Amino acid sequence: MHPYENLPPEAFWRSAIATKNPLNITGLWQPKFTFKPEDNVVTVGSCFAQHIGKAMVRRGYNWLDAEPAPAKTDPELKKKFNYGIFSFRTGNIYTTELLLQWCQWAFGEVKVPNEVWTNPEGRFIDPMRPNIEPNGFANLDEMEMSREATLEAIRRGVKKAKVFVFTLGLTEAWRNIEHGYFYPMCPGTLHGDFSSEKHEFINLRYPQIKQPLMQAIRLLRSVNPDLKFILTVSPVPLTATASGKHVLTATTHSKSLLRAVAGDIADEQADVDYFPSYEIITGFPFRGMFFEPNMRSVSDKGVEFVMASFFEALEKGRNKRPKPASAKKSNLKETSFEKSDEVVCEEELLDAFS
Amino acid sequence: MRFLRKKQKKICVLGNSHVTSLKRYWDESADQHPWDLTFFGAGTPFLRGIVPQKGALECKRIEGKRSFERTSGGQQVIQVNDYAHFCVLGALSGSKVVGLLSEIDAAAERGMPYSSEFIGHLYDQFFDKSLAKVLLEKLRKVTDKPIVLSGGPLPSERIQKQKYVRKITPERQDFCLKLLQDFEIRMENRLEEYDAKFLRWPSAPRVSGLFNQHQYMAGSMALNGGTQEKYPQHDLIHGNAAYGELLATALSF
């Protein structure tokens, strides 16, 4: 007898992959824990995280919109002003450093920087959420109140949540040299002005990815000890790299590190799980079929397949079907999504410079 | 501001159930005024289907036509050349406006205020989805005569006693009143697109900023296929003849 004799079919390439139609590949995820449709779920992270929240709503799960727009706001208007995209109006949180930063600001560990930008029309831009309002804010007070609103939403949302889903997106980041805080986008690309004296590029390495994420998890757990985490890695390649390497090799390096961190933390922490959306979209057994012709955007079919795998595994783990959408709790804010709803992706805006 | 001059005698009043407050006042006091009001009232669903014809407006649905016939005293169709002025009543719901403002206030109260730009877009969206926009567009297809638009009344102060209604506390009144004023300014701007005037909600009956004293709502009559019947909850969002008199004064009838 040896250990390989009693392994299930999913442990072997031949039975799990080689002899299967890709669309019949199953069992990629055995959840460490399950949750019920009525449990509050928070989603934050990179562009791909938006699909998770939308899919949860469609499936009748209690996706937490902690900073909702008025109930009858048109979906297009909500999207324009970044309501209902993530659980909080942070914009994309691409790196673990940014996640930690938001958590530290929200829970008072670190003071929010007082940097502010203006656009050519004199409107005020939040450097930490440069795309959150299409035309910026009317004045500084309004900008600061809006950011404080998001921090309040984080405080409340984390306390109410049962599950916190974070999608890791990038390792490449831009940092303020003097004060050390991170920007979501390189200053000067969307708004603001770039200065090599004020801003530096950093391509986060494994410890620099893992440590902030662990710190964020500990901080969030200190607020909500029952909170569980699901980590995913965005399968979406980099729009652009400042690393000096080819964007394909930079992407592979980045995603490999993120995948390693996510996997290691999930292995080390009982209340942290990893869901393999990355493998489903990018894994070569799927032959790239879930990408659009630009080989970057994930197709609707891809999102559908990923989320079907997610819910199938979850519900199998719970051993029962979810209740229909009408059973949603009242704290689920009305959010309607079109099937082919495009995601809000600030990083994609870098394409304008290609 | 007086929109209508005494020399302009024939006025077409077009609207939904909210025409009844002015109609009730008018029915009691028409002899005292030199103006000639003709009321074309129908339920909102019928008014949304109103069709511009050559020199006329008519409801597509027979229920709408009959409602026009009853409220006007015999006419199913509005012949626009018969009138010197048009008054659109109730096509912008005062109670729904207050509902929206209350949501905006609630967000601010819980520490998550919306930006001024977003609020402006919410106001635009409110107008763009309203019956008011539909009627203005249809009217302007058949006439270029003066149009004044007055929204449905703000809700009764008693609506705050309903379980489903959020209570606006005294501390929030100033903020809510500012929201309402900004909404009115936005509507004035939007109506300029149709060369029409927006009549702000009368301040005389106001209490707590966003609500009307119940004495201006009590005993309101329903527009029910043109007939007038009383419903207990009707008073929460419909004005009575006293409110109608305020409207007439503001419109200079």
Side-chain angles (χ1 to χ4, degrees), chain A residues 97-324:
Chain A
E97 284 280 11
L98 281 170
L99 176 67
L100 175 62
Q101 200 163 266
W102 277 107
C103 294
Q104 288 178 321
W105 293 339
F107 295 104
E109 285 195 352
V110 171
K111 204 162 166 271
V112 181
N114 58 12
E115 185 175 352
V116 62
W117 297 341
T118 53
N119 69 8
E121 290 77 39
R123 305 271 297 179
F124 289 76
I125 306 294
D126 183 350
M128 303 307 149
R129 305 181 299 159
N131 203 33
I132 206 67
E133 297 251 330
N135 296 316
F137 295 93
N139 52 59
L140 181 58
D141 277 349
E142 201 176 68
M143 189 205 85
E144 288 176 344
M145 280 200 302
S146 172
R147 192 197 286 153
E148 182 54 35
T150 295
L151 297 176
E152 178 62 20
I154 294 172
R155 287 189 284 268
R156 291 188 195 195
V158 167
K159 284 176 190 160
K160 278 163 91 163
K162 177 90 175 188
V163 181
F164 190 102
V165 181
F166 176 53
T167 300
L168 291 77
L170 298 174
T171 58
E172 296 191 19
W174 291 89
R175 182 165 61 185
N176 182 284
I177 295 172
E178 183 184 353
H179 300 288
Y181 53 79
F182 286 83
Y183 300 94
M185 297 281 294
C186 175
T189 52
L190 206 52
H191 291 289
D193 298 303
F194 178 78
S195 162
S196 55
E197 290 170 13
K198 291 184 187 171
H199 311 123
E200 65 177 354
F201 172 73
I202 174 168
N203 203 354
L204 299 167
R205 300 286 194 74
Y206 181 96
Q208 296 164 312
I209 303 166
K210 187 178 182 188
Q211 187 271 335
L213 182 51
M214 279 307 308
Q215 203 174 333
I217 288 172
R218 278 194 295 268
L219 174 52
L220 293 173
R221 270 224 201 92
S222 73
V223 173
N224 181 351
D226 296 326
L227 190 60
K228 295 190 185 323
F229 297 82
I230 296 176
L231 303 177
T232 72
V233 174
S234 169
V236 179
L238 272 60
T239 303
T241 178
S243 65
K245 299 176 185 151
H246 191 283
V247 70
L248 179 59
T249 49
T251 294
T252 304
H253 187 190
S254 226
K255 300 297 181 181
S256 300
L257 288 172
L258 296 173
R259 176 63 184 91
V261 165
D264 284 352
I265 292 180
D267 284 347
E268 291 160 10
Q269 302 288 318
D271 289 339
V272 181
D273 201 353
Y274 170 75
F275 171 67
S277 51
Y278 177 74
E279 281 82 342
I280 294 171
I281 300 296
T282 66
F284 61 85
F286 296 96
R287 291 127 160 109
M289 71 172 84
F290 296 131
F291 281 107
E292 295 286 4
N294 67 3
M295 299 305 296
R296 186 178 180 274
S297 310
V298 178
S299 66
D300 288 347
K301 281 218 174 319
V303 173
E304 218 175 283
F305 190 82
V306 164
M307 296 316 302
S309 305
F310 180 86
F311 290 115
E312 188 187 323
L314 201 63
E315 285 147 24
K316 196 174 167 185
R318 263 205 333 270
N319 213 28
K320 60 182 177 184
R321 303 296 299 164
K323 288 179 186 173

Side-chain angles (χ1 to χ4, degrees), chain B residues 153-223:
Chain B
L154 300 177
S156 164
E157 58 190 321
R158 289 194 185 176
I159 206 168
Q160 293 222 100
K161 293 185 180 161
Q162 302 295 308
K163 281 184 191 167
Y164 57 86
V165 173
R166 173 179 171 264
K167 310 291 174 281
I168 296 178
T169 59
E171 297 78 36
R172 304 301 306 169
Q173 278 173 27
D174 285 350
F175 181 79
C176 289
L177 192 51
K178 177 75 173 51
L179 289 176
L180 181 65
Q181 289 165 350
D182 289 343
F183 181 87
E184 289 174 317
I185 292 170
R186 196 86 172 191
M187 290 305 105
E188 286 169 350
N189 293 339
R190 291 304 306 269
L191 260 65
E192 281 177 10
E193 297 167 22
Y194 302 91
D195 192 23
K197 298 281 186 197
F198 177 71
L199 183 69
R200 294 195 183 199
W201 281 282
S203 55
R206 211 80 71 76
V207 62
S208 307
L210 294 187
F211 305 96
N212 283 334
Q213 296 169 49
H214 196 63
Q215 67 188 81
Y216 289 95
M217 317 290 277
S220 62
M221 293 291 195
L223 182 74

Side-chain angles (χ1 to χ4, degrees), chain B residues 40-82:
Chain B
F40 292 90
T44 294
F46 308 126
L47 289 177
R48 281 192 179 272
I50 207 166
V51 177
Q53 305 289 3
K54 196 174 173 184
L57 279 176
E58 65 178 313
C59 287
K60 230 163 134 182
R61 298 264 304 269
I62 188 65
E63 298 94 327
K65 291 182 200 291
R66 285 180 185 150
S67 192
F68 273 9
E69 190 173 25
R70 272 190 286 266
T71 55
S72 68
Q75 300 175 61
Q76 286 195 350
V77 178
I78 303 173
Q79 300 294 343
V80 296
N81 288 335
D82 290 350

Side-chain angles (χ1 to χ4, degrees), chain A residues 74 123 133 135 142 156, chain B residues 110 115-117 125 129:
Chain A
D74 273 351
R123 305 271 297 179
E133 297 251 330
N135 296 316
E142 201 176 68
R156 291 188 195 195
Chain B
R110 64 174 179 262
S115 70
S116 52
E117 173 128 349
Q125 179 192 273
K129 290 180 164 182

Side-chain angles (χ1 to χ4, degrees), chain A residues 66 68-74 77 80-81 83 123 133 135 142 149 153 156, chain B residues 96 100 103-104 107 109-118 121-122 125 129:
Chain A
K72 291 180 181 163
T73 309
D74 273 351
L77 182 58
K80 191 175 173 183
F81 282 82
Y83 284 98
R123 305 271 297 179
E133 297 251 330
N135 296 316
E142 201 176 68
R156 291 188 195 195
Chain B
K96 287 184 181 173
L100 172 61
E103 276 196 272
I104 295 170
E109 191 180 34
R110 64 174 179 262
M112 299 184 196
Y114 301 125
S115 70
S116 52
E117 173 128 349
F118 183 61
H121 280 276
L122 288 174
Q125 179 192 273
K129 290 180 164 182

Side-chain angles (χ1 to χ4, degrees), chain A residues 43-110:
Chain A
T43 61
V44 297
S46 77
C47 314
F48 195 78
Q50 298 171 40
H51 294 300
I52 300 173
K54 291 176 188 181
M56 291 220 157
V57 171
R58 277 196 214 105
R59 195 88 173 196
Y61 279 72
N62 215 15
W63 177 69
L64 186 63
D65 185 352
E67 204 175 342
K72 291 180 181 163
T73 309
D74 273 351
E76 275 181 32
L77 182 58
K78 283 171 68 170
K79 186 177 167 183
K80 191 175 173 183
F81 282 82
N82 288 281
Y83 284 98
I85 304 291
F86 301 105
S87 291
F88 319 114
R89 277 181 90 219
T90 53
N92 290 284
I93 298 179
Y94 289 111
T95 66
T96 59
E97 284 280 11
L98 281 170
L99 176 67
L100 175 62
Q101 200 163 266
W102 277 107
C103 294
Q104 288 178 321
W105 293 339
F107 295 104
E109 285 195 352
V110 171

